Amino acid sequence: MIKVYGRARWNGQIVFGFIGLLCVCIALALGMARANAGTPVRLLILGDSLTAGYGLPVADGFQAQLHAALRAHGADVVLVNGAVSGDTTADAAARLDWVLAGSKVDAALVELGGNDGLRGLSTVMMKHNLTRILDDLAARHIPVLLSGMIAPPSLGAAYGARFKAVFATLGHRKGVLFDPFFLQGLPGKPGLVQADGLHPNASGVRIEVKRLLPLILQLIAAAKTQH
């Protein structure tokens, strides 16, 4: 039998106490990791008719097809619908606080600008509105995928260049993933757009989702690091 006296016994109590505390910390960390692993990422879709599913049955719209694609890739995601047909960047910026107050959001896809372009609105104001949106999301540590838009050619080359530059500039912001053109590969393709020649049909949406999916999965991964 070994007897421990004095300082040696006191040091032993400290060691065992430290080991016990370390075990508790590890257990708590593992418990939090399991909880986070089982918590779906809440992805805000802040957009206009292109992400609201204009002209399509719900099952064929962008959000429904995106959700199905994410599930097929094993991503546990809840979509928060913040897309409103007809919205300009000013409209979306004005209602963002209300959207965020009403629902927890972990990441955001921002798809706006199409209606600004169709109406020939000021690119300076469009940049101001988008900056306000990105600032609000950044303040809440919400990573963003910014998907850009191109102005109608009828508005002239100078306006088109200014319009495109707004998205290119904001796409370089910290915490922002950037996709230059939401409708990439779709304009002018009759088999991929609706009768208005602008909004994607179900097949066009399928192409959109497939193209954007890698970026959205990257966005979801970024959101998980914020949990």
Side-chain angles (χ1 to χ4, degrees), residues 130-203:
L130 287 171
T131 298
R132 176 181 166 189
I133 289 170
L134 296 178
D135 285 347
D136 283 352
L137 293 170
R140 294 170 169 83
H141 307 289
I142 297 172
V144 174
L145 168 57
L146 175 65
S147 191
M149 189 53 57
I150 293 176
S154 60
L155 293 174
Y159 180 86
R162 294 195 303 272
F163 193 95
K164 186 176 181 180
V166 169
F167 291 100
T169 299
L170 296 179
H172 283 94
R173 284 181 50 137
K174 182 180 179 181
V176 174
L177 295 172
F178 181 50
D179 168 54
F181 186 32
F182 185 76
L183 294 174
Q184 182 179 320
L186 301 183
K189 304 284 183 63
L192 300 177
V193 295
Q194 300 178 42
D196 62 9
L198 175 63
H199 293 89
N201 59 23
S203 297

